[in-house]
Amino acid sequence: MTSWLDQFTTSRQLTWVSRILDLCVSEVNFDGREVARAHVNKMDLEVLMKEVSQLTTVSDLEHFLLNHGEKVVDVLAMEVDRIERNVKKANPDCRHVDLEIL
């Protein structure tokens, strides 16, 4: 059952916690480089390079890193939602999916 995970993860395990509660828990180890790559692939690298070249202070750098860090977390959140949908689709009896990030 690996079809519900892809290049974003390096390991996976799906466990039924309770058949009565229809609860599935999955431990997922995300590949940070692939999550960051998904963010970078959505960007125009020429525009990003221009933005980086205009950084002149530590404060500018901090703002730049915080902005892009937030966007990487957004990519990760979308990936978690996608995995949860795919687990539910592949396991219709599982009404709740709890992903545990390793």
Side-chain angles (χ1 to χ4, degrees), residues 6-21:
D6 57 16
Q7 81 273 8
F8 288 99
T9 61
T10 57
S11 66
R12 58 212 128 313
Q13 173 185 350
L14 178 66
T15 307
W16 282 93
V17 173
S18 170
R19 289 277 181 188
I20 296 169
L21 299 174

Side-chain angles (χ1 to χ4, degrees), residues 12-13 22 30 33 38 41 49 75 82:
R12 58 212 128 313
Q13 173 185 350
D22 294 328
F30 284 92
R33 293 181 66 88
N41 287 342
M49 186 64 161
V75 169
R82 186 191 66 78

Side-chain angles (χ1 to χ4, degrees), residues 15-77:
T15 307
W16 282 93
V17 173
S18 170
R19 289 277 181 188
I20 296 169
L21 299 174
D22 294 328
L23 172 66
C24 298
V25 173
S26 181
E27 294 179 347
V28 181
N29 188 15
F30 284 92
D31 183 337
R33 293 181 66 88
E34 291 300 323
V35 174
R37 186 180 320 279
H39 167 60
V40 169
N41 287 342
K42 294 178 182 178
M43 303 181 66
D44 181 339
L45 292 181
E46 293 296 326
V47 171
L48 184 62
M49 186 64 161
K50 186 175 182 180
E51 186 180 341
V52 168
S53 70
Q54 294 174 351
L55 300 177
T56 58
T57 67
V58 172
S59 179
D60 291 344
L61 176 62
E62 180 183 21
H63 177 75
F64 175 84
L65 292 173
L66 291 173
N67 182 40
H68 287 282
E70 181 178 11
K71 291 177 182 177
V72 169
V73 171
D74 291 343
V75 169
L76 183 58

